[in-house]
């Protein structure tokens, strides 16, 4: 009887304590959930990524620095841009945590005949940043995407001298 009365008295305090504890813990839980979200999800998934790739490739196709390289120009004229956009979208989705599977060639294999130089690489990165800004991709996600792109550089840039 005494025990149950004590418990009844203490109940409101216990409830307040539980509420205080939960509200203190919730920002941490929310942060953990955000950290657990894949880059793919934070970018908005397949359709958002495909839209970014579409804009990016359209920019590259009219980039004079890239088109001054005859090997790039020839490959561009030979390869349907819709296919290229599809392949790049699948690759980006896959490496950022989406369920798509990239079925194209390795970056080394796909670019070795293009003699891509440092100058051309920088022109591509500059266009990529313009696209990311246009789509208002947040700074954190931009950094992660650029790091992914930079990780492919040793396989793509073969021209030693800036042209
Ligand atoms: C200056 C930089 C780059 C240029 C000029 C460039 C240009 C090209 C061109 C012309 C092709 C078609 C080649 C062919 O089929 O003959 C191609 C293919 C491709 N590129 Fe790039 N690229 C560059 C960087 C990148 C980067 C950074 C990525 C991804 C991180 C990438 C992903 C791809 C993919 C997935 C394909 C398709 C491969 C396949 O279908 O097997 N490229 N690129």
């Amino acid at each position: 009887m005494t025990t149950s009365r004590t418990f009844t008295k203490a109940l409101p305090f216990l409830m307040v304590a539980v509420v205080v504890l939960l509200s203190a813990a919730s920002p941490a839980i929310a942060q953990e959930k955000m950290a657990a979200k894949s880059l793919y999800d934070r970018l908005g998934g397949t359709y958002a990524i495909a839209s970014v790739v579409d804009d990016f490739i359209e920019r590259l196709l009219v980039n004079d620095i890239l088109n001054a390289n005859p090997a790039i120009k020839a490959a561009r004229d030979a390869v349907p841009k819709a296919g290229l956009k599809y392949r790049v979208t699948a690759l980006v989705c896959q490496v950022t945590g989406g369920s798509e599977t990239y079925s194209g060639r390795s970056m080394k294999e796909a670019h070795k005949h293009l003699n891509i130089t440092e100058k051309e690489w920088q022109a591509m990165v500059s266009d990529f940043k313009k696209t990311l800004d246009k789509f208002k991709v947040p700074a954190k996600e931009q950094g992660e995407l650029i790091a992914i792109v930079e990780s492919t550089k040793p396989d793509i840039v073969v021209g030693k001298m800036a042209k």
Side-chain angles (χ1 to χ4, degrees):
M1 190 69 175
T2 322
T3 318
S4 88
R5 203 179 302 136
T6 311
F7 181 73
T8 312
K9 272 189 184 166
L11 196 58
F13 297 106
L14 269 173
M15 283 170 71
V16 170
V18 167
V19 169
V20 168
L21 274 174
L22 279 178
S23 58
S26 60
I29 293 168
Q31 262 182 3
E32 225 171 78
K33 268 192 188 158
M34 270 177 67
K37 256 189 153 190
S38 66
L39 177 55
Y40 169 86
D41 283 331
R42 283 178 281 134
L43 292 171
T46 307
Y47 283 39
I49 291 171
S51 304
V52 166
V53 170
D54 178 44
D55 185 87
F56 174 43
I57 290 182
E58 287 299 331
R59 278 178 207 277
L60 294 179
L61 291 174
V62 294
N63 184 312
D64 291 339
I65 295 175
L66 299 179
N67 284 328
N69 174 335
I72 294 177
K73 180 85 176 76
R76 292 252 174 90
D77 292 343
V79 176
K81 67 179 182 180
L84 192 55
K85 287 174 183 177
Y86 167 74
R87 283 263 159 95
V88 175
T89 299
L91 179 64
V92 175
C93 288
Q94 178 178 296
V95 301
T96 55
S99 58
E100 283 77 4
T101 305
Y102 172 67
S103 56
R105 291 161 289 171
S106 70
M107 290 302 95
K108 200 170 215 159
E109 200 57 38
H111 299 92
K112 65 179 182 199
H113 55 301
L114 302 175
N115 300 315
I116 295 174
T117 63
E118 176 66 30
K119 185 181 172 190
E120 289 153 3
W121 178 266
Q122 294 307 334
M124 177 277 293
V125 171
S126 165
D127 274 348
F128 190 40
K129 286 180 179 159
K130 282 182 203 152
T131 291
L132 296 176
D133 286 342
K134 175 179 166 184
F135 283 84
K136 298 188 168 39
V137 175
K140 182 179 188 300
E141 282 70 25
Q142 287 206 18
E144 289 176 48
L145 281 172
I146 288 168
I148 290 171
V149 167
E150 288 293 336
S151 74
T152 67
K153 188 176 174 183
D155 286 337
I156 293 181
V157 177
V158 293
K160 294 271 179 287
M161 303 289 287
K163 280 197 269 187

